[in-house]
């Protein structure tokens, strides 16, 4: 199963405080372990919300709001995409991560797979999805 591991924003990440050399080194070692184990599919840090926008849809066109956004606990500072056997395995991996300062929060969520949609994902829709994924992978 694939899971998204979501690193929640903190006051420091929202203030634009960059990780120290030591923190980057520790994260690099952890990411290396994930890659060697075949767990890590992707992972990225995000700029603070002050450099982002939100688009809210209602009636008609979406409304764009420039950051920063005030509710830090609702924001994301980074993410990984992992391939694991279970959510419990993902929890074990994150417990080994360098996040031990006491102010970080990590959320782990399963990624939908084609079989999760049941018969609503018709053979035609499944073929379309597979084609889009193949074309996207070819461009990378």
């Amino acid at each position: 199963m694939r899971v998204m591991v979501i690193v929640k924003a903190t006051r420091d990440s929202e203030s634009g405080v960059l990780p120290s050399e030591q923190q980057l080194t520790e994260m690099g070692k952890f990411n290396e372990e994930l890659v060697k184990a075949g767990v890590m599919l992707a992972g990225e840090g995000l700029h603070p919300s002050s450099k982002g926008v939100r688009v809210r849809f209602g009636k008609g066109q979406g409304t764009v709001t420039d950051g920063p956004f005030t509710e830090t606990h609702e924001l994301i500072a980074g993410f990984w995409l992992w391939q694991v056997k279970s959510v419990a395995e993902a929890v074990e991996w994150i417990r080994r991560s360098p996040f031990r300062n006491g102010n970080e929060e990590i959320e782990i969520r399963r990624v939908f797979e084609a079989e999760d949609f049941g018969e609503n994902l018709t053979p035609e829709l499944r073929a379309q999805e597979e084609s889009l994924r193949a074309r996207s992978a070819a461009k990378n």
Side-chain angles (χ1 to χ4, degrees):
M1 89 174 47
R2 290 179 302 155
V3 296
M4 178 170 269
V5 180
I6 302 164
V7 179
K8 297 294 188 100
T10 64
R11 282 192 183 120
D12 282 350
S13 67
E14 275 299 291
S15 296
V17 175
L18 296 175
S20 68
E21 181 179 346
Q22 179 183 349
Q23 289 170 317
L24 290 172
T25 299
E26 290 174 3
M27 189 57 65
K29 287 178 184 177
F30 181 63
N31 286 341
E32 183 67 31
E33 288 182 53
L34 292 169
V35 169
K36 283 182 181 177
V39 170
M40 185 170 159
L41 302 174
E44 303 293 340
L46 302 174
H47 281 271
S49 68
S50 61
K51 296 183 178 184
V53 299
R54 282 188 178 164
V55 181
R56 184 174 309 272
F57 291 95
K59 296 178 181 173
Q61 292 187 333
T63 302
V64 178
T65 305
D66 292 327
F69 308 115
T70 57
E71 298 296 325
T72 303
H73 68 279
E74 295 177 357
L75 301 175
I76 297 171
F79 68 92
W80 283 283
L81 188 59
W82 291 352
Q83 180 72 47
V84 292
K85 294 181 180 93
S86 65
V87 171
E89 180 186 359
V91 169
E92 288 306 312
W93 273 107
I94 204 61
R95 284 186 172 150
R96 295 168 55 185
S97 77
F99 294 113
R100 293 188 195 94
N101 294 333
N103 61 350
E104 295 94 350
E105 183 177 349
I106 308 295
E107 182 176 335
I108 300 171
R109 307 236 331 248
R110 287 187 59 189
V111 174
F112 274 106
E113 304 292 350
E115 57 272 5
D116 294 327
F117 294 102
E119 63 187 41
N120 290 342
L121 188 65
T122 65
E124 297 80 17
L125 291 171
R126 184 180 297 261
Q128 177 188 28
E129 177 68 19
E130 290 171 359
S131 173
L132 289 171
R133 286 183 185 271
R135 289 182 7 224
S136 177
K139 289 185 177 186
N140 295 331

